[in-house]
Amino acid sequence: MRIIIAEDSVLLRSGMVKLLEDEGIEILAAVGDAEQLLAAVEAHDDVDLCLVDIRMPPGYSEEGMDAAIKIRRTRPDVAVLLLSQHVVSRYAAELLGGGSAKVGYLLKDRVADIDEFLGTLRRVAGGGAAIDPEVVSQLLSRNSDSALDRLSPRESEVLGVMAEGLNNAGIAARLVITERAVEKHIRSIFTKLDLGQDDHDHRRVRAVLEYLRGTGGQD
């Protein structure tokens, strides 16, 4: 896997470079602002994923978010994983709202759990979507008038965990149910959300996108 890191904190940036290189991941560039990020993406046709801090110089507002959206629009082959210090659920909805896979949003605290962090990187780079559990928790607490209202409480739980990027085995372990039950719930979710006969992985991503749009993604 080939990655570009965009993080303004020199200490955190250096730490992530060492962590990922120790895991055999190639770091194509490690930069400190959004302008350098966009230039690095343009310079590297072979980049697989960009790891992007949402708030970077010069304004420390949403420069990283804006750059991530530009990357997804101009280079849909490049995955983007956003990092944020705090839960801002609309970031996840905004980034995912274009209907694309290969996107994720994590709190920076997740980097400390190396196995989870690396697993998320690989899922997103492989075409999936991964949303931080804290963001999912906030979204689940909101009411909405959407196709999601058709889902049963258990189906909503399954979809919420799916949004975190877990596979069927992971969902089963989290909810303490069998994998067969998970498969049944997912089939029902696909039907109730009117997801067609695309391949299974694509329908999972589309279900997560519907979930994020339906829960509003507003703070």
Side-chain angles (χ1 to χ4, degrees):
M1 190 190 313
R2 295 170 294 275
I3 289 180
I4 293 173
I5 297 173
E7 164 61 55
D8 67 286
S9 167
V10 175
L11 184 61
L12 182 55
R13 185 168 71 239
S14 299
M16 287 193 292
V17 168
K18 184 178 188 310
L19 167 66
L20 296 177
E21 286 184 336
D22 286 348
E23 293 295 327
I25 295 172
E26 182 180 356
I27 306 301
L28 298 176
V31 301
D33 62 47
E35 184 176 342
Q36 291 176 329
L37 167 61
L38 293 174
V41 171
E42 185 175 353
H44 294 282
D45 291 335
D46 56 346
V47 58
D48 296 310
L49 180 143
C50 293
L51 187 59
V52 183
D53 183 13
I54 286 177
R55 296 182 177 180
M56 291 192 294
Y60 292 96
S61 56
E62 299 180 6
E63 288 84 355
M65 179 70 194
D66 293 340
I69 291 174
K70 288 180 182 178
I71 291 168
R72 292 299 299 145
R73 287 175 180 166
T74 60
R75 291 285 304 276
D77 58 307
V78 177
V80 173
L81 179 58
L82 285 174
L83 295 177
S84 177
Q85 193 69 43
H86 307 289
V87 175
V88 186
S89 55
R90 70 181 176 82
Y91 290 153
E94 188 172 352
L95 184 63
L96 285 152
S100 301
K102 292 194 169 188
V103 290
Y105 171 39
L106 288 183
L107 294 180
K108 289 185 178 180
D109 290 347
R110 303 294 171 191
V111 177
D113 188 331
I114 296 174
D115 289 340
E116 179 181 347
F117 178 54
L118 292 173
T120 299
L121 281 176
R122 294 187 177 104
R123 282 198 303 273
V124 173
I131 309 302
D132 194 279
E134 288 296 323
V135 177
V136 171
S137 178
Q138 284 198 9
L139 293 174
L140 278 172
S141 68
R142 297 175 181 147
N143 296 320
S144 63
D145 296 318
S146 72
L148 298 179
D149 294 334
R150 306 171 193 165
L151 304 183
S152 70
R154 177 61 88 181
E155 289 164 354
S156 294
E157 285 184 309
V158 169
L159 183 53
V161 179
M162 189 191 301
E164 296 177 27
L166 274 67
N167 60 18
N168 287 7
I171 295 171
R174 172 75 65 83
L175 299 180
V176 196
I177 57 178
T178 66
E179 285 191 53
R180 179 171 293 183
V182 171
E183 292 169 0
K184 177 182 176 181
H185 289 311
I186 289 175
R187 285 196 300 270
S188 180
I189 289 167
F190 289 162
T191 299
K192 291 181 179 180
L193 296 184
D194 298 321
L195 300 180
Q197 298 302 313
D198 299 319
D199 68 85
H200 184 76
D201 287 343
H202 186 51
R203 285 198 291 173
R204 288 176 78 98
V205 172
R206 289 175 60 199
V208 170
L209 295 173
E210 182 66 34
Y211 167 75
L212 288 168
R213 284 193 290 265
T215 48
Q218 298 296 321
D219 287 295

